Amino acid sequence: MIRLDGVSHAYGDDPVVEDVSLSVEPGEVVAVIGPSGVGKTTLLRLLALSVRPTAGTVTLDGRDAWALDDDERLAVRRRVGMVFQDASLFDATVERNVEYGLRIRRPWAERVRDQVRSVLGDDTIPEAVEEALDVVGLADALDQDARSLSGGEAQRVSFARALAYDPAYLLLDEPTSDLDPRNTGLIEAAVREARDRGIGVVVATHDMHQAERVADRVGVLLGDGFTEVGPAETVFETPADERTREFISGELVY
Amino acid sequence: MSVLLDAAVQAGPAVRSVPALVDFPFAEGYVTSVIAVSLYVSVAAVALSTLFGVPVAIAMGFADFLGKRFVKSVINTGMGFPSVVVGLLVLFAVSNRGPLGPLDLVFTREAMIVSQFVLATPPVTAISLAAITGVDDAVGDAARALGGTRVDTALVVIKEARYGIATAVLAGFGRAISEVGSVLIVGGNIVGSDGVSKTRTLTTAIQLEARQGRYGTAMALGAVLVTLVLLVNAVVVRLGDTGAVNR
């Protein structure tokens, strides 16, 4: 389980996230919904251990990540994958992109050998790479130049890139906000596949319908922390919090 | 009539200096030795500039340290530094009484390498730095989010900047091989009694031919120089492309 306990984060004097708590179990999809600029991205960065909270703790499987030394925290961080709104693929083939997470987890001697082999044109493609690309329906794009892909394909490769090294938790930041319905559907199917593999998934989205489609649980982030966290049906059908109800019914406009 | 002819001669070399065949009054091996000196000096200098400048650019791109802005302004000033002044300073440095006097480098190719190194390093460093800082932050963020350490992230960014770094090296090479002022001062434009170049480069040879009025010869050497630069560019671009396919 990955969890935030009373976590706050501020850029300078400006608090972005204040006193937020959330936990995610393996094999469940949690959607974080809320208007733009409410701190969803910062929340994911806190979960990804890429920013340090100014207060509170981030624990992964019971270990307080920021109480660990650098090496231990790296090991913990490497169990989490993150996909951004922009695919931000590397200027390389699709295969090299998806393989990246596997590659950097290998010892340096092996990495150098792999690099030499790749220059000599003698690549062996790890099974995990093919499998991950298969999940997003791009198994035949292995040798394509990543920069030649369409936006939707690039985002699916970006998803495969995070899936390939089999993370315990996967964080998706507005993964489909720039995509057409077909690519959105493919990403959502991939999210379900990840859940079926036992991965805990967090999706930050401003698309409530997407949250309804993919999430087991939903957290509603409005201004200063979650107004409501609960099973998707409860949050959407019978929200306990007044502001949540207004937000979901579209009355609360930011 | 003769007045007219004289006037025509005085009007400029252009009238008489278009010979049917280019005049090449050189000993055997002269031109190849001039090319060899040019290449040796420029390639060695740019290799040193790259070994020095690219790591400096990487350090400046990824780390914050005291005096970073000062280093940056030194580099930017260096880009526009007049080559004759560099030549003069290097000549002082290597002269008998200079700090490098004991090395006995006056009028040697090695002294020319020193001055070319001083000239090529600022553009190599500045253009590499621009390439590295120009890489989208999102690329580094992605590398980190996929489990990359600081070293992994830096490697990804450097890899993304590879074309820019290649451009930086080419710019440094271009500056070095096409430069006249400093190599003339520190090298002395010397050819041995056997007609083989010691410190004469293509640029200083062209300058000499032009001054002697052999414009056709100067043009021919100029064509050799341009071809050389084109060849080096082609080789570097080609290397960049093969790297791009198998990365």
Side-chain angles (χ1 to χ4, degrees), chain A residues 49-50 74 77-78 90-92 96 100 104-105 111 118-119 145 147 161, chain B residues 138-139 141-149 152 155-156 160 162 246-247:
Chain A
L49 305 179
S50 66
L74 177 67
R77 184 160 70 80
R78 283 185 163 176
F90 309 132
D91 182 10
R96 297 291 284 178
Y100 184 78
I104 57 171
R105 283 166 174 74
R111 289 176 63 179
S118 142
V119 170
D145 190 335
R147 299 274 158 114
R161 187 168 66 169
Chain B
V139 170
D141 282 350
R144 202 189 134 79
L146 294 165
T149 59
D152 295 322
L155 284 175
V156 162
E160 296 287 308
R162 63 189 178 276
N246 296 314
R247 64 227 151 169

PDB file of all heavy atoms in Angstrom, chain A residues 49-50 74 77-78 90-92 96 100 104-105 111 118-119 145 147 161, chain B residues 138-139 141-149 152 155-156 160 162 246-247:
ATOM      1  N   LEU A  49       7.377  10.336  -5.053  1.00  0.00           N
ATOM      2  CA  LEU A  49       8.598  10.664  -4.286  1.00  0.00           C
ATOM      3  C   LEU A  49       9.523  11.587  -5.075  1.00  0.00           C
ATOM      4  O   LEU A  49      10.730  11.582  -4.886  1.00  0.00           O
ATOM      5  CB  LEU A  49       9.362   9.410  -3.870  1.00  0.00           C
ATOM      6  CG  LEU A  49       8.574   8.355  -3.090  1.00  0.00           C
ATOM      7  CD1 LEU A  49       9.458   7.156  -2.775  1.00  0.00           C
ATOM      8  CD2 LEU A  49       8.001   8.942  -1.815  1.00  0.00           C
ATOM      9  N   SER A  50       8.956  12.371  -5.991  1.00  0.00           N
ATOM     10  CA  SER A  50       9.824  13.283  -6.720  1.00  0.00           C
ATOM     11  C   SER A  50       9.823  14.676  -6.086  1.00  0.00           C
ATOM     12  O   SER A  50      10.693  15.477  -6.392  1.00  0.00           O
ATOM     13  CB  SER A  50       9.461  13.339  -8.203  1.00  0.00           C
ATOM     14  OG  SER A  50       8.191  13.904  -8.373  1.00  0.00           O
ATOM     15  N   LEU A  74      15.670   5.318  -3.371  1.00  0.00           N
ATOM     16  CA  LEU A  74      15.689   5.037  -4.811  1.00  0.00           C
ATOM     17  C   LEU A  74      15.007   3.696  -5.080  1.00  0.00           C
ATOM     18  O   LEU A  74      14.186   3.562  -5.990  1.00  0.00           O
ATOM     19  CB  LEU A  74      17.124   5.019  -5.339  1.00  0.00           C
ATOM     20  CG  LEU A  74      17.272   4.653  -6.818  1.00  0.00           C
ATOM     21  CD1 LEU A  74      16.666   5.728  -7.708  1.00  0.00           C
ATOM     22  CD2 LEU A  74      18.735   4.427  -7.188  1.00  0.00           C
ATOM     23  N   ARG A  77      11.377   4.223  -4.680  1.00  0.00           N
ATOM     24  CA  ARG A  77      10.875   5.063  -5.780  1.00  0.00           C
ATOM     25  C   ARG A  77      10.745   4.253  -7.067  1.00  0.00           C
ATOM     26  O   ARG A  77       9.865   4.491  -7.889  1.00  0.00           O
ATOM     27  CB  ARG A  77      11.856   6.230  -5.964  1.00  0.00           C
ATOM     28  CG  ARG A  77      11.453   7.250  -6.987  1.00  0.00           C
ATOM     29  CD  ARG A  77      12.180   8.576  -6.755  1.00  0.00           C
ATOM     30  NE  ARG A  77      13.613   8.547  -7.038  1.00  0.00           N
ATOM     31  CZ  ARG A  77      14.134   8.638  -8.256  1.00  0.00           C
ATOM     32  NH1 ARG A  77      13.350   8.715  -9.285  1.00  0.00           N
ATOM     33  NH2 ARG A  77      15.439   8.615  -8.433  1.00  0.00           N
ATOM     34  N   ARG A  78      11.667   3.282  -7.231  1.00  0.00           N
ATOM     35  CA  ARG A  78      11.658   2.493  -8.454  1.00  0.00           C
ATOM     36  C   ARG A  78      10.503   1.508  -8.539  1.00  0.00           C
ATOM     37  O   ARG A  78      10.321   0.826  -9.540  1.00  0.00           O
ATOM     38  CB  ARG A  78      12.998   1.760  -8.605  1.00  0.00           C
ATOM     39  CG  ARG A  78      14.074   2.708  -9.073  1.00  0.00           C
ATOM     40  CD  ARG A  78      15.364   2.023  -9.353  1.00  0.00           C
ATOM     41  NE  ARG A  78      16.212   2.890 -10.171  1.00  0.00           N
ATOM     42  CZ  ARG A  78      17.449   2.597 -10.523  1.00  0.00           C
ATOM     43  NH1 ARG A  78      17.986   1.446 -10.151  1.00  0.00           N
ATOM     44  NH2 ARG A  78      18.152   3.426 -11.250  1.00  0.00           N
ATOM     45  N   PHE A  90      11.621   9.833 -25.311  1.00  0.00           N
ATOM     46  CA  PHE A  90      12.992  10.150 -25.679  1.00  0.00           C
ATOM     47  C   PHE A  90      13.144  10.065 -27.197  1.00  0.00           C
ATOM     48  O   PHE A  90      12.430   9.315 -27.856  1.00  0.00           O
ATOM     49  CB  PHE A  90      13.969   9.171 -25.022  1.00  0.00           C
ATOM     50  CG  PHE A  90      13.760   9.023 -23.543  1.00  0.00           C
ATOM     51  CD1 PHE A  90      13.694   7.765 -22.958  1.00  0.00           C
ATOM     52  CD2 PHE A  90      13.616  10.135 -22.726  1.00  0.00           C
ATOM     53  CE1 PHE A  90      13.490   7.634 -21.594  1.00  0.00           C
ATOM     54  CE2 PHE A  90      13.418  10.006 -21.370  1.00  0.00           C
ATOM     55  CZ  PHE A  90      13.350   8.748 -20.803  1.00  0.00           C
ATOM     56  N   ASP A  91      14.091  10.805 -27.710  1.00  0.00           N
ATOM     57  CA  ASP A  91      14.365  10.809 -29.151  1.00  0.00           C
ATOM     58  C   ASP A  91      15.090   9.511 -29.512  1.00  0.00           C
ATOM     59  O   ASP A  91      16.309   9.474 -29.616  1.00  0.00           O
ATOM     60  CB  ASP A  91      15.218  12.041 -29.488  1.00  0.00           C
ATOM     61  CG  ASP A  91      15.513  12.142 -30.972  1.00  0.00           C
ATOM     62  OD1 ASP A  91      14.917  11.384 -31.743  1.00  0.00           O
ATOM     63  OD2 ASP A  91      16.354  12.976 -31.340  1.00  0.00           O
ATOM     64  N   ALA A  92      14.326   8.442 -29.629  1.00  0.00           N
ATOM     65  CA  ALA A  92      14.890   7.116 -29.901  1.00  0.00           C
ATOM     66  C   ALA A  92      13.771   6.246 -30.454  1.00  0.00           C
ATOM     67  O   ALA A  92      12.656   6.727 -30.652  1.00  0.00           O
ATOM     68  CB  ALA A  92      15.452   6.508 -28.615  1.00  0.00           C
ATOM     69  N   ARG A  96      13.540   1.305 -27.604  1.00  0.00           N
ATOM     70  CA  ARG A  96      14.478   1.872 -26.634  1.00  0.00           C
ATOM     71  C   ARG A  96      13.754   2.662 -25.559  1.00  0.00           C
ATOM     72  O   ARG A  96      14.157   2.680 -24.399  1.00  0.00           O
ATOM     73  CB  ARG A  96      15.507   2.776 -27.331  1.00  0.00           C
ATOM     74  CG  ARG A  96      16.414   2.069 -28.318  1.00  0.00           C
ATOM     75  CD  ARG A  96      17.386   1.130 -27.670  1.00  0.00           C
ATOM     76  NE  ARG A  96      18.516   1.782 -27.027  1.00  0.00           N
ATOM     77  CZ  ARG A  96      19.467   1.128 -26.366  1.00  0.00           C
ATOM     78  NH1 ARG A  96      19.415  -0.197 -26.255  1.00  0.00           N
ATOM     79  NH2 ARG A  96      20.467   1.761 -25.809  1.00  0.00           N
ATOM     80  N   TYR A 100      13.573   1.555 -21.430  1.00  0.00           N
ATOM     81  CA  TYR A 100      14.381   2.427 -20.579  1.00  0.00           C
ATOM     82  C   TYR A 100      14.360   2.043 -19.097  1.00  0.00           C
ATOM     83  O   TYR A 100      15.404   1.928 -18.456  1.00  0.00           O
ATOM     84  CB  TYR A 100      13.932   3.884 -20.745  1.00  0.00           C
ATOM     85  CG  TYR A 100      14.790   4.850 -19.967  1.00  0.00           C
ATOM     86  CD1 TYR A 100      16.034   5.229 -20.448  1.00  0.00           C
ATOM     87  CD2 TYR A 100      14.379   5.348 -18.732  1.00  0.00           C
ATOM     88  CE1 TYR A 100      16.840   6.084 -19.734  1.00  0.00           C
ATOM     89  CE2 TYR A 100      15.184   6.213 -18.003  1.00  0.00           C
ATOM     90  CZ  TYR A 100      16.414   6.578 -18.510  1.00  0.00           C
ATOM     91  OH  TYR A 100      17.212   7.423 -17.782  1.00  0.00           O
ATOM     92  N   ILE A 104      17.815   0.953 -16.965  1.00  0.00           N
ATOM     93  CA  ILE A 104      18.488   1.671 -15.874  1.00  0.00           C
ATOM     94  C   ILE A 104      18.469   0.900 -14.557  1.00  0.00           C
ATOM     95  O   ILE A 104      19.171   1.259 -13.630  1.00  0.00           O
ATOM     96  CB  ILE A 104      17.875   3.069 -15.645  1.00  0.00           C
ATOM     97  CG1 ILE A 104      16.383   2.958 -15.366  1.00  0.00           C
ATOM     98  CG2 ILE A 104      18.149   3.978 -16.837  1.00  0.00           C
ATOM     99  CD1 ILE A 104      15.779   4.269 -14.920  1.00  0.00           C
ATOM    100  N   ARG A 105      17.707  -0.166 -14.509  1.00  0.00           N
ATOM    101  CA  ARG A 105      17.704  -0.967 -13.296  1.00  0.00           C
ATOM    102  C   ARG A 105      18.788  -2.045 -13.323  1.00  0.00           C
ATOM    103  O   ARG A 105      18.959  -2.786 -12.366  1.00  0.00           O
ATOM    104  CB  ARG A 105      16.328  -1.606 -13.087  1.00  0.00           C
ATOM    105  CG  ARG A 105      15.307  -0.617 -12.544  1.00  0.00           C
ATOM    106  CD  ARG A 105      13.891  -1.133 -12.654  1.00  0.00           C
ATOM    107  NE  ARG A 105      12.945  -0.239 -12.001  1.00  0.00           N
ATOM    108  CZ  ARG A 105      12.564   0.940 -12.480  1.00  0.00           C
ATOM    109  NH1 ARG A 105      13.053   1.379 -13.619  1.00  0.00           N
ATOM    110  NH2 ARG A 105      11.702   1.695 -11.829  1.00  0.00           N
ATOM    111  N   ARG A 111      24.775  -2.487 -18.682  1.00  0.00           N
ATOM    112  CA  ARG A 111      24.238  -1.379 -19.484  1.00  0.00           C
ATOM    113  C   ARG A 111      25.212  -0.984 -20.586  1.00  0.00           C
ATOM    114  O   ARG A 111      24.807  -0.693 -21.713  1.00  0.00           O
ATOM    115  CB  ARG A 111      23.941  -0.175 -18.588  1.00  0.00           C
ATOM    116  CG  ARG A 111      22.757  -0.397 -17.688  1.00  0.00           C
ATOM    117  CD  ARG A 111      22.557   0.758 -16.750  1.00  0.00           C
ATOM    118  NE  ARG A 111      22.242   2.005 -17.446  1.00  0.00           N
ATOM    119  CZ  ARG A 111      22.011   3.151 -16.814  1.00  0.00           C
ATOM    120  NH1 ARG A 111      22.070   3.195 -15.489  1.00  0.00           N
ATOM    121  NH2 ARG A 111      21.732   4.243 -17.494  1.00  0.00           N
ATOM    122  N   SER A 118      23.827  -2.547 -28.994  1.00  0.00           N
ATOM    123  CA  SER A 118      22.810  -1.790 -29.722  1.00  0.00           C
ATOM    124  C   SER A 118      23.451  -1.004 -30.869  1.00  0.00           C
ATOM    125  O   SER A 118      22.877  -0.896 -31.955  1.00  0.00           O
ATOM    126  CB  SER A 118      22.087  -0.867 -28.756  1.00  0.00           C
ATOM    127  OG  SER A 118      21.805   0.360 -29.361  1.00  0.00           O
ATOM    128  N   VAL A 119      24.651  -0.473 -30.630  1.00  0.00           N
ATOM    129  CA  VAL A 119      25.351   0.243 -31.695  1.00  0.00           C
ATOM    130  C   VAL A 119      25.731  -0.723 -32.815  1.00  0.00           C
ATOM    131  O   VAL A 119      25.693  -0.385 -33.994  1.00  0.00           O
ATOM    132  CB  VAL A 119      26.598   0.977 -31.140  1.00  0.00           C
ATOM    133  CG1 VAL A 119      27.469   1.511 -32.270  1.00  0.00           C
ATOM    134  CG2 VAL A 119      26.172   2.117 -30.232  1.00  0.00           C
ATOM    135  N   ASP A 145      10.482   5.278 -35.024  1.00  0.00           N
ATOM    136  CA  ASP A 145      11.061   6.412 -34.340  1.00  0.00           C
ATOM    137  C   ASP A 145       9.965   7.040 -33.465  1.00  0.00           C
ATOM    138  O   ASP A 145       8.882   7.336 -33.945  1.00  0.00           O
ATOM    139  CB  ASP A 145      11.540   7.420 -35.397  1.00  0.00           C
ATOM    140  CG  ASP A 145      12.376   8.515 -34.775  1.00  0.00           C
ATOM    141  OD1 ASP A 145      12.204   8.785 -33.568  1.00  0.00           O
ATOM    142  OD2 ASP A 145      13.208   9.096 -35.489  1.00  0.00           O
ATOM    143  N   ARG A 147       9.557   9.846 -32.325  1.00  0.00           N
ATOM    144  CA  ARG A 147       9.105  11.191 -32.707  1.00  0.00           C
ATOM    145  C   ARG A 147       8.171  11.174 -33.910  1.00  0.00           C
ATOM    146  O   ARG A 147       7.603  12.192 -34.275  1.00  0.00           O
ATOM    147  CB  ARG A 147      10.313  12.074 -33.018  1.00  0.00           C
ATOM    148  CG  ARG A 147      11.256  12.260 -31.852  1.00  0.00           C
ATOM    149  CD  ARG A 147      10.796  13.407 -30.966  1.00  0.00           C
ATOM    150  NE  ARG A 147      11.336  13.280 -29.633  1.00  0.00           N
ATOM    151  CZ  ARG A 147      12.207  14.129 -29.087  1.00  0.00           C
ATOM    152  NH1 ARG A 147      12.618  15.153 -29.768  1.00  0.00           N
ATOM    153  NH2 ARG A 147      12.646  13.928 -27.856  1.00  0.00           N
ATOM    154  N   ARG A 161       5.896   2.361 -21.451  1.00  0.00           N
ATOM    155  CA  ARG A 161       7.222   2.609 -20.885  1.00  0.00           C
ATOM    156  C   ARG A 161       7.187   2.482 -19.359  1.00  0.00           C
ATOM    157  O   ARG A 161       8.127   1.988 -18.745  1.00  0.00           O
ATOM    158  CB  ARG A 161       7.674   4.013 -21.313  1.00  0.00           C
ATOM    159  CG  ARG A 161       9.062   4.374 -20.957  1.00  0.00           C
ATOM    160  CD  ARG A 161       9.498   5.633 -21.664  1.00  0.00           C
ATOM    161  NE  ARG A 161       8.740   6.821 -21.229  1.00  0.00           N
ATOM    162  CZ  ARG A 161       9.069   8.064 -21.546  1.00  0.00           C
ATOM    163  NH1 ARG A 161      10.112   8.298 -22.300  1.00  0.00           N
ATOM    164  NH2 ARG A 161       8.340   9.077 -21.134  1.00  0.00           N
TER     165      ARG A 161
ATOM    166  N   ALA B 138      10.739  18.193 -19.457  1.00  0.00           N
ATOM    167  CA  ALA B 138       9.856  17.035 -19.342  1.00  0.00           C
ATOM    168  C   ALA B 138      10.609  15.731 -19.610  1.00  0.00           C
ATOM    169  O   ALA B 138      10.280  14.698 -19.040  1.00  0.00           O
ATOM    170  CB  ALA B 138       8.694  17.171 -20.318  1.00  0.00           C
ATOM    171  N   VAL B 139      11.633  15.794 -20.453  1.00  0.00           N
ATOM    172  CA  VAL B 139      12.402  14.590 -20.784  1.00  0.00           C
ATOM    173  C   VAL B 139      13.158  14.101 -19.544  1.00  0.00           C
ATOM    174  O   VAL B 139      13.143  12.913 -19.200  1.00  0.00           O
ATOM    175  CB  VAL B 139      13.371  14.873 -21.952  1.00  0.00           C
ATOM    176  CG1 VAL B 139      14.337  13.722 -22.139  1.00  0.00           C
ATOM    177  CG2 VAL B 139      12.583  15.117 -23.225  1.00  0.00           C
ATOM    178  N   ASP B 141      12.364  14.862 -16.462  1.00  0.00           N
ATOM    179  CA  ASP B 141      11.344  14.447 -15.493  1.00  0.00           C
ATOM    180  C   ASP B 141      10.890  13.023 -15.765  1.00  0.00           C
ATOM    181  O   ASP B 141      10.706  12.227 -14.840  1.00  0.00           O
ATOM    182  CB  ASP B 141      10.117  15.371 -15.596  1.00  0.00           C
ATOM    183  CG  ASP B 141      10.346  16.703 -14.895  1.00  0.00           C
ATOM    184  OD1 ASP B 141      11.375  16.809 -14.191  1.00  0.00           O
ATOM    185  OD2 ASP B 141       9.519  17.615 -15.060  1.00  0.00           O
ATOM    186  N   ALA B 142      10.698  12.706 -17.054  1.00  0.00           N
ATOM    187  CA  ALA B 142      10.255  11.362 -17.417  1.00  0.00           C
ATOM    188  C   ALA B 142      11.302  10.336 -17.007  1.00  0.00           C
ATOM    189  O   ALA B 142      10.973   9.291 -16.433  1.00  0.00           O
ATOM    190  CB  ALA B 142       9.988  11.285 -18.915  1.00  0.00           C
ATOM    191  N   ALA B 143      12.573  10.638 -17.274  1.00  0.00           N
ATOM    192  CA  ALA B 143      13.645   9.697 -16.913  1.00  0.00           C
ATOM    193  C   ALA B 143      13.642   9.456 -15.409  1.00  0.00           C
ATOM    194  O   ALA B 143      13.793   8.327 -14.940  1.00  0.00           O
ATOM    195  CB  ALA B 143      14.996  10.251 -17.366  1.00  0.00           C
ATOM    196  N   ARG B 144      13.442  10.524 -14.663  1.00  0.00           N
ATOM    197  CA  ARG B 144      13.426  10.394 -13.213  1.00  0.00           C
ATOM    198  C   ARG B 144      12.210   9.586 -12.761  1.00  0.00           C
ATOM    199  O   ARG B 144      12.300   8.703 -11.915  1.00  0.00           O
ATOM    200  CB  ARG B 144      13.398  11.774 -12.569  1.00  0.00           C
ATOM    201  CG  ARG B 144      13.887  11.784 -11.157  1.00  0.00           C
ATOM    202  CD  ARG B 144      13.634  13.119 -10.491  1.00  0.00           C
ATOM    203  NE  ARG B 144      13.069  12.905  -9.174  1.00  0.00           N
ATOM    204  CZ  ARG B 144      13.786  12.561  -8.126  1.00  0.00           C
ATOM    205  NH1 ARG B 144      15.079  12.414  -8.213  1.00  0.00           N
ATOM    206  NH2 ARG B 144      13.218  12.357  -6.948  1.00  0.00           N
ATOM    207  N   ALA B 145      11.056   9.892 -13.371  1.00  0.00           N
ATOM    208  CA  ALA B 145       9.827   9.212 -12.970  1.00  0.00           C
ATOM    209  C   ALA B 145       9.892   7.716 -13.277  1.00  0.00           C
ATOM    210  O   ALA B 145       9.227   6.917 -12.637  1.00  0.00           O
ATOM    211  CB  ALA B 145       8.630   9.841 -13.682  1.00  0.00           C
ATOM    212  N   LEU B 146      10.708   7.333 -14.251  1.00  0.00           N
ATOM    213  CA  LEU B 146      10.837   5.916 -14.597  1.00  0.00           C
ATOM    214  C   LEU B 146      11.879   5.230 -13.726  1.00  0.00           C
ATOM    215  O   LEU B 146      12.218   4.071 -13.939  1.00  0.00           O
ATOM    216  CB  LEU B 146      11.214   5.769 -16.075  1.00  0.00           C
ATOM    217  CG  LEU B 146      10.135   6.244 -17.056  1.00  0.00           C
ATOM    218  CD1 LEU B 146      10.701   6.411 -18.450  1.00  0.00           C
ATOM    219  CD2 LEU B 146       8.970   5.264 -17.074  1.00  0.00           C
ATOM    220  N   GLY B 147      12.408   5.960 -12.752  1.00  0.00           N
ATOM    221  CA  GLY B 147      13.332   5.353 -11.801  1.00  0.00           C
ATOM    222  C   GLY B 147      14.775   5.767 -12.010  1.00  0.00           C
ATOM    223  O   GLY B 147      15.683   5.164 -11.442  1.00  0.00           O
ATOM    224  N   GLY B 148      14.992   6.799 -12.816  1.00  0.00           N
ATOM    225  CA  GLY B 148      16.359   7.222 -13.099  1.00  0.00           C
ATOM    226  C   GLY B 148      16.993   7.973 -11.935  1.00  0.00           C
ATOM    227  O   GLY B 148      16.326   8.715 -11.240  1.00  0.00           O
ATOM    228  N   THR B 149      18.290   7.746 -11.757  1.00  0.00           N
ATOM    229  CA  THR B 149      19.047   8.523 -10.780  1.00  0.00           C
ATOM    230  C   THR B 149      19.439   9.850 -11.423  1.00  0.00           C
ATOM    231  O   THR B 149      19.110  10.112 -12.579  1.00  0.00           O
ATOM    232  CB  THR B 149      20.332   7.777 -10.370  1.00  0.00           C
ATOM    233  OG1 THR B 149      21.106   7.571 -11.562  1.00  0.00           O
ATOM    234  CG2 THR B 149      20.014   6.428  -9.761  1.00  0.00           C
ATOM    235  N   ASP B 152      21.459   9.057 -14.476  1.00  0.00           N
ATOM    236  CA  ASP B 152      20.622   8.582 -15.583  1.00  0.00           C
ATOM    237  C   ASP B 152      19.933   9.747 -16.268  1.00  0.00           C
ATOM    238  O   ASP B 152      19.868   9.823 -17.497  1.00  0.00           O
ATOM    239  CB  ASP B 152      19.546   7.610 -15.066  1.00  0.00           C
ATOM    240  CG  ASP B 152      20.143   6.337 -14.511  1.00  0.00           C
ATOM    241  OD1 ASP B 152      21.122   5.857 -15.097  1.00  0.00           O
ATOM    242  OD2 ASP B 152      19.638   5.837 -13.488  1.00  0.00           O
ATOM    243  N   LEU B 155      22.325  11.719 -18.322  1.00  0.00           N
ATOM    244  CA  LEU B 155      22.680  11.000 -19.548  1.00  0.00           C
ATOM    245  C   LEU B 155      21.594  11.141 -20.607  1.00  0.00           C
ATOM    246  O   LEU B 155      21.885  11.337 -21.790  1.00  0.00           O
ATOM    247  CB  LEU B 155      22.921   9.516 -19.246  1.00  0.00           C
ATOM    248  CG  LEU B 155      24.260   9.184 -18.577  1.00  0.00           C
ATOM    249  CD1 LEU B 155      24.329   7.707 -18.229  1.00  0.00           C
ATOM    250  CD2 LEU B 155      25.423   9.557 -19.495  1.00  0.00           C
ATOM    251  N   VAL B 156      20.347  11.042 -20.166  1.00  0.00           N
ATOM    252  CA  VAL B 156      19.233  11.187 -21.106  1.00  0.00           C
ATOM    253  C   VAL B 156      19.257  12.574 -21.734  1.00  0.00           C
ATOM    254  O   VAL B 156      19.107  12.725 -22.956  1.00  0.00           O
ATOM    255  CB  VAL B 156      17.884  10.931 -20.391  1.00  0.00           C
ATOM    256  CG1 VAL B 156      16.725  11.484 -21.203  1.00  0.00           C
ATOM    257  CG2 VAL B 156      17.690   9.452 -20.150  1.00  0.00           C
ATOM    258  N   GLU B 160      19.758  13.604 -25.628  1.00  0.00           N
ATOM    259  CA  GLU B 160      18.809  14.421 -26.393  1.00  0.00           C
ATOM    260  C   GLU B 160      19.523  15.602 -27.046  1.00  0.00           C
ATOM    261  O   GLU B 160      19.110  16.085 -28.094  1.00  0.00           O
ATOM    262  CB  GLU B 160      17.697  14.947 -25.479  1.00  0.00           C
ATOM    263  CG  GLU B 160      16.814  13.886 -24.873  1.00  0.00           C
ATOM    264  CD  GLU B 160      15.847  13.258 -25.862  1.00  0.00           C
ATOM    265  OE1 GLU B 160      15.132  13.991 -26.546  1.00  0.00           O
ATOM    266  OE2 GLU B 160      15.823  12.018 -25.956  1.00  0.00           O
ATOM    267  N   ARG B 162      22.478  15.624 -28.308  1.00  0.00           N
ATOM    268  CA  ARG B 162      23.649  15.179 -29.059  1.00  0.00           C
ATOM    269  C   ARG B 162      23.872  15.932 -30.372  1.00  0.00           C
ATOM    270  O   ARG B 162      25.000  16.235 -30.735  1.00  0.00           O
ATOM    271  CB  ARG B 162      23.616  13.679 -29.291  1.00  0.00           C
ATOM    272  CG  ARG B 162      22.444  13.185 -30.128  1.00  0.00           C
ATOM    273  CD  ARG B 162      22.388  11.658 -30.099  1.00  0.00           C
ATOM    274  NE  ARG B 162      21.265  11.143 -30.837  1.00  0.00           N
ATOM    275  CZ  ARG B 162      20.039  11.013 -30.344  1.00  0.00           C
ATOM    276  NH1 ARG B 162      19.780  11.395 -29.113  1.00  0.00           N
ATOM    277  NH2 ARG B 162      19.070  10.521 -31.079  1.00  0.00           N
ATOM    278  N   ASN B 246      20.821   3.667 -34.256  1.00  0.00           N
ATOM    279  CA  ASN B 246      21.073   2.584 -33.300  1.00  0.00           C
ATOM    280  C   ASN B 246      21.124   3.060 -31.848  1.00  0.00           C
ATOM    281  O   ASN B 246      21.943   2.608 -31.090  1.00  0.00           O
ATOM    282  CB  ASN B 246      22.412   1.919 -33.610  1.00  0.00           C
ATOM    283  CG  ASN B 246      22.402   1.262 -34.946  1.00  0.00           C
ATOM    284  OD1 ASN B 246      21.453   0.558 -35.257  1.00  0.00           O
ATOM    285  ND2 ASN B 246      23.415   1.506 -35.740  1.00  0.00           N
ATOM    286  N   ARG B 247      20.320   4.002 -31.504  1.00  0.00           N
ATOM    287  CA  ARG B 247      20.489   4.466 -30.128  1.00  0.00           C
ATOM    288  C   ARG B 247      19.673   3.619 -29.180  1.00  0.00           C
ATOM    289  O   ARG B 247      18.660   3.071 -29.522  1.00  0.00           O
ATOM    290  CB  ARG B 247      20.116   5.928 -30.014  1.00  0.00           C
ATOM    291  CG  ARG B 247      18.664   6.212 -30.301  1.00  0.00           C
ATOM    292  CD  ARG B 247      18.542   7.367 -31.226  1.00  0.00           C
ATOM    293  NE  ARG B 247      17.335   7.136 -31.962  1.00  0.00           N
ATOM    294  CZ  ARG B 247      16.747   8.007 -32.738  1.00  0.00           C
ATOM    295  NH1 ARG B 247      17.292   9.143 -32.961  1.00  0.00           N
ATOM    296  NH2 ARG B 247      15.644   7.720 -33.361  1.00  0.00           N
TER     297      ARG B 247
END
